[in-house]
């Protein structure tokens, strides 16, 4: 089963990368972009028996740094059948 | 008794040899070189150093992979027993990722890699790492990093400051670090993480020798407790 882990900076944590992307978009002439926050998408392919708790633990122990980042777990196959 | 130190090398470490030379210069004894895949540290260590570099290519986050390597379980256990641990640059990132130090080191605020000599203020000279400096002394130590922007929430920063756990501060804003923090200690005072490279400031030929007092302090502390 495919699982997407979306890792993003917590609100209030300054995102220098997002700010640079924002400036670059403005430099290309795109108006109306209010803010840019850059994150990371991690794709996992896991056995069906891997529980939500296990995925949660993977995020907290390694995939996200809980000091500065939030994460969101999205099971892709469930989504397709829903 | 000879000073027993270990310098850990991760794949991608590149300041491990400089660190070993600095430790030997200060103590008169070459440190034991330890590989990241080792599960155990040598016994009866007086000091452990985590060097700078780009461990595991900075994959995922700087220091994230190294912090979960086999040897770090032994380093964490040694730190909890009170063995002095110094992490420089990538070593500091490994210490925050492993949970031995609070906070995180983010991309520099201006996105650029900064490589120059920085003026630092010694904020606390009552630590085993800094007793060779004067309180408030300004020292000059090279910095070379992309991810040195220290972040912690306001409560953590207040606690660090209140407990005297800010060891070094940049004399002027440098990389976006909260409160210009350059180096911090753990609660017990036996773990120091810092972005600047004291091992690169051991000889006048390197542009300055302000790093010597740090290594001398560590060696002296070991002699006192021996």
């Amino acid at each position: 089963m495919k699982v997407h882990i979306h890792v993003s900076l917590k609100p209030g944590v300054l995102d220098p990368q997002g700010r640079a992307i924002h400036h670059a978009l403005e430099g290309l002439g795109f108006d109306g972009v209010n803010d840019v926050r850059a994150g990371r998408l991690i794709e996992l392919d896991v056995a069906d028996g891997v529980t939500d708790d296990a995925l949660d633990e993977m995020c907290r122990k390694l995939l996200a740094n809980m000091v500065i980042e939030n994460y969101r777990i999205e099971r892709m196959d469930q989504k397709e059948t829903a | 008794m000879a000073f027993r130190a270990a310098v850990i090398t991760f794949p991608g470490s590149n300041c491990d040899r400089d660190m070993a030379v600095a430790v030997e210069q200060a103590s008169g004894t070459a440190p034991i070189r330890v590989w990241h895949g080792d599960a155990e540290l040598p016994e009866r260590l007086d000091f452990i150093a985590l060097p700078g570099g780009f461990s595991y290519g900075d994959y995922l986050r700087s220091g994230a992979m190294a912090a979960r390597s086999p040897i770090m379980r032994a380093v964490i256990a040694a730190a909890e027993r009170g063995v002095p641990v110094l992490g420089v640059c990538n070593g500091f990132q490994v210490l925050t990722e492993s949970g031995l130090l609070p906070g995180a080191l983010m991309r520099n605020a201006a996105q650029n890699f900064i490589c120059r000599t920085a003026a630092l203020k010694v904020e606390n000279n009552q630590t085993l790492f800094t007793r060779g400096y004067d309180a408030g002394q300004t020292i000059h130590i090279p910095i070379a990093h992309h991810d040195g922007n220290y972040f912690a929430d306001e409560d953590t920063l207040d606690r660090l400051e209140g407990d005297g756990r800010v060891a070094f501060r940049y004399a002027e804003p440098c990389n976006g670090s909260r409160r210009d923090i350059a180096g911090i200690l753990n609660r017990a005072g036996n773990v120091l993480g810092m972005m600047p490279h004291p091992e690169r400031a051991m000889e006048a030929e390197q542009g300055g020798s302000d790093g010597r007092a740090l290594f001398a302090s560590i060696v002296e502390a070991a002699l006192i407790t021996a």
Side-chain angles (χ1 to χ4, degrees):
Chain A
M1 174 188 287
K2 290 273 197 300
V3 177
H4 282 185
I5 310 288
H6 302 268
V7 181
S8 56
L9 285 174
K10 287 183 176 175
V13 176
L14 189 72
D15 179 7
Q17 193 176 208
R19 202 172 51 182
I21 295 167
H22 193 182
H23 285 159
L25 286 173
E26 287 175 338
L28 289 170
F30 292 105
D31 295 328
V33 179
N34 294 323
D35 193 21
V36 178
R37 308 278 289 170
R40 176 185 290 123
L41 169 65
I42 300 169
E43 279 189 1
L44 304 180
D45 188 341
V46 302
D48 289 345
V50 173
T51 63
D52 287 351
D53 282 351
L55 290 170
D56 212 51
E57 201 176 352
M58 290 178 205
C59 291
R60 282 184 282 108
K61 281 195 169 168
L62 177 64
L63 301 178
N65 179 338
M66 299 307 294
V67 177
I68 48 172
E69 293 170 332
N70 287 329
Y71 61 87
R72 184 166 58 81
I73 298 166
E74 188 180 12
R75 286 185 183 263
M76 301 312 289
D77 296 3
Q78 264 179 2
K79 205 178 170 186
E80 279 161 23
T81 54
Chain B
M1 279 254 292
F3 184 75
R4 278 175 67 83
V7 174
I8 316 291
T9 300
F10 302 100
S13 295
N14 64 12
C15 302
D16 44 336
R17 189 174 180 281
D18 293 41
M19 183 67 83
V21 169
V23 171
E24 181 168 1
Q25 185 180 328
S27 69
T29 308
I32 303 158
R33 308 292 293 274
V34 178
W35 182 236
H36 75 115
D38 294 344
E40 288 179 24
L41 286 163
E43 289 181 349
R44 302 186 315 281
L45 286 176
D46 296 310
F47 175 56
I48 300 166
L50 305 181
F54 300 86
S55 58
Y56 299 84
D58 282 349
Y59 288 175
L60 191 63
R61 299 175 301 272
S62 299
M65 297 294 160
R68 279 98 181 154
S69 64
I71 196 61
M72 280 307 294
R73 282 195 285 274
V75 171
I76 291 166
E80 284 168 356
R81 288 197 307 272
V83 177
V85 177
L86 170 68
V88 168
C89 200
N90 189 221
F92 185 10
Q93 294 159 346
V94 174
L95 289 173
T96 58
E97 278 285 344
S98 70
L100 280 173
L101 292 175
L105 290 145
M106 301 181 60
R107 182 53 44 101
N108 292 341
Q111 292 277 358
N112 54 344
F113 189 98
I114 305 173
C115 184
R116 61 177 172 83
T117 297
L120 306 179
K121 190 171 166 227
V122 179
E123 288 289 331
N124 183 351
N125 73 335
Q126 304 293 311
T127 82
L128 73 92
F129 302 96
T130 58
R131 64 179 76 193
Y133 298 108
D134 297 328
Q137 184 181 346
T138 299
I139 60 174
H140 295 86
I141 304 283
I143 55 171
H145 59 250
H146 211 164
D147 296 326
N149 178 356
Y150 184 74
F151 175 88
D153 61 46
E154 289 296 313
D155 288 348
T156 303
L157 292 169
D158 288 343
R159 204 167 61 239
L160 287 173
E161 305 236 32
D163 294 346
R165 289 166 58 189
V166 177
F168 300 106
R169 214 188 291 271
Y170 300 108
E172 51 192 52
C174 171
N175 52 19
S177 287
R178 290 287 172 102
R179 305 190 192 181
D180 297 324
I181 285 172
I184 57 165
L185 297 147
N186 67 339
R187 194 188 308 265
N190 67 310
V191 177
L192 170 67
M194 60 191 294
M195 289 310 297
H197 287 272
E199 81 283 6
R200 294 189 191 175
M202 299 294 285
E203 306 277 356
E205 289 78 2
Q206 290 174 300
S209 56
D210 283 354
R212 275 189 190 180
L214 187 138
F215 290 96
S217 299
I218 298 164
V219 173
E220 194 181 317
L223 293 175
I224 290 166
T225 54

